[in-house]
Amino acid sequence: YRAEAPSPALYALGLNCELPPFDNVHVRRAVAYAIDRSKFERLDPGRAIAATQVLPPMLPPHDPNLPTRQVFDLDRAREEMRLAGFPDGLSEPVMLWVRGESEVRVAQFFQQDLKEIGIEIELKMVSFATYLKETGKPRVAQAAFTGWHQDFPDPSNFMDILFHSRSIHPENSENRSFYRNPKLDAILDRARPEVDRETRLSLYAEANAILADEAPWAFLYYPIDMFAWQPYVKGFRPHPVWLNEYRNIWLDLPKERVSQAVYAEETAP
């Protein structure tokens, strides 16, 4: 048997809001508009969906028609660079941290795109351990290939952890873009304990729109997971949260195999 399902995850280009040029919201927006996300869909057909916002498609309040959604628009990207004061592009390259060959391959796609608006990208390959240790420190990584897989199905698991200023620490920040927005913080603080579903979703929808517009991350793609299992593997179904959900699985193996094994054990000298 075989099944494919969108993963509750997101990959993105994280932009350090404390370091130039990404302390300028117009530069961040320019990056978000300059990336042609359809390239990722063509790179791995059937394995990726272009990302327009922080929340993956299966998680409310994801909005496919979000007015501030990040889409490929080269004219808007160039206008944002003009508004940032860089109509002819940046004078120095941007250093992007990547964690392995697969990320280098993906980065090469948006290297080409960003060159169109005058942003040169240089790659710094590091181990995953180094990435975790160093990008969590303030003013270290200018930009980094990044991502998130949800721990539980709630928008707070993306927004509070990744973008609330409370997640910024001197040594080990989960908010690795070092993005600070008091308005966003206030919305998230109201939303998390809210018990009325519609009110809660409305607050997270507002937060979702802010993050897409202010672009501490330039969203790239949502992955699609592929699963394959033998007919004798019973009780398995792709889980909407856990990649390795095996608690209800059992094997319906042929009885003769069991009897032969028992017979061999009983007759062994």
Side-chain angles (χ1 to χ4, degrees):
Y1 300 110
R2 181 175 179 272
E4 294 182 355
S7 178
L10 166 70
Y11 288 97
L13 178 56
L15 309 174
N16 193 322
C17 300
E18 290 186 333
L19 294 176
F22 302 123
D23 55 348
N24 188 318
V25 68
H26 294 293
V27 176
R28 301 199 304 269
R29 287 175 182 155
V31 171
Y33 286 131
I35 295 173
D36 182 0
R37 294 159 180 84
S38 67
K39 291 180 179 179
F40 304 119
E41 296 177 321
R42 297 195 298 270
L43 175 66
D44 287 316
R47 301 301 307 277
I49 302 171
T52 61
Q53 55 205 276
V54 64
L55 299 176
M58 77 292 293
L59 185 62
H62 175 97
D63 180 3
N65 300 311
L66 183 70
T68 60
R69 66 190 182 277
Q70 296 181 7
V71 294
F72 177 52
D73 189 330
L74 199 53
D75 289 337
R76 290 182 71 178
R78 287 171 173 153
E79 174 62 12
E80 291 292 343
M81 288 296 285
R82 186 192 68 78
L83 292 171
F86 303 108
D88 300 318
L90 302 179
S91 59
E92 297 181 356
V94 168
M95 183 67 70
L96 172 67
W97 290 44
V98 294
R99 299 169 292 187
E101 290 294 340
S102 62
E103 292 186 0
V104 169
R105 184 178 62 155
V106 172
Q108 288 170 343
F109 280 92
F110 54 75
Q111 268 184 308
Q112 300 167 9
D113 292 337
L114 297 180
K115 192 172 183 179
E116 292 293 320
I117 60 170
I119 298 180
E120 295 281 346
I121 297 289
E122 294 182 355
L123 302 182
K124 178 183 178 72
M125 189 184 299
V126 297
S127 69
F128 188 53
T130 299
Y131 168 89
L132 289 176
K133 180 180 179 181
E134 298 300 322
T135 61
K137 299 176 182 178
R139 309 186 67 84
V140 172
Q142 194 175 18
F145 190 91
T146 190
W148 186 256
H149 188 287
Q150 73 177 16
D151 301 298
F152 54 90
D154 189 85
S156 66
N157 186 238
F158 284 84
M159 297 182 186
D160 282 66
I161 293 174
L162 301 175
F163 302 109
H164 198 295
S165 64
R166 188 169 48 236
S167 293
I168 295 175
H169 305 286
E171 292 292 330
N172 188 23
S173 296
E174 284 294 355
N175 181 346
R176 296 172 191 272
S177 289
F178 299 91
Y179 171 72
R180 292 177 172 87
N181 183 335
K183 181 180 178 181
L184 179 77
D185 289 352
I187 292 170
L188 296 180
D189 289 341
R190 287 177 56 201
R192 187 162 190 171
E194 177 59 57
V195 295
D196 180 79
R197 184 177 189 274
E198 294 306 317
T199 300
R200 195 169 189 269
L201 289 180
S202 177
L203 289 167
Y204 280 122
E206 188 177 354
N208 190 40
I210 290 171
L211 290 169
D213 181 51
E214 297 221 334
W217 284 16
F219 309 123
L220 300 176
Y221 63 91
Y222 311 112
I224 296 176
D225 294 327
M226 191 272 285
F227 304 87
W229 64 99
Q230 295 287 358
Y232 57 77
V233 177
K234 304 297 183 179
F236 175 75
R237 293 292 183 273
H239 195 277
V241 180
W242 314 117
L243 286 177
N244 303 306
E245 173 55 65
Y246 302 140
R247 287 176 293 182
N248 298 316
I249 293 176
W250 56 283
L251 303 181
D252 186 18
L253 295 172
K255 292 182 179 179
E256 60 269 24
R257 293 186 183 178
V258 177
S259 61
Q260 289 173 3
V262 171
Y263 176 78
E265 183 179 344
E266 290 177 348
T267 58

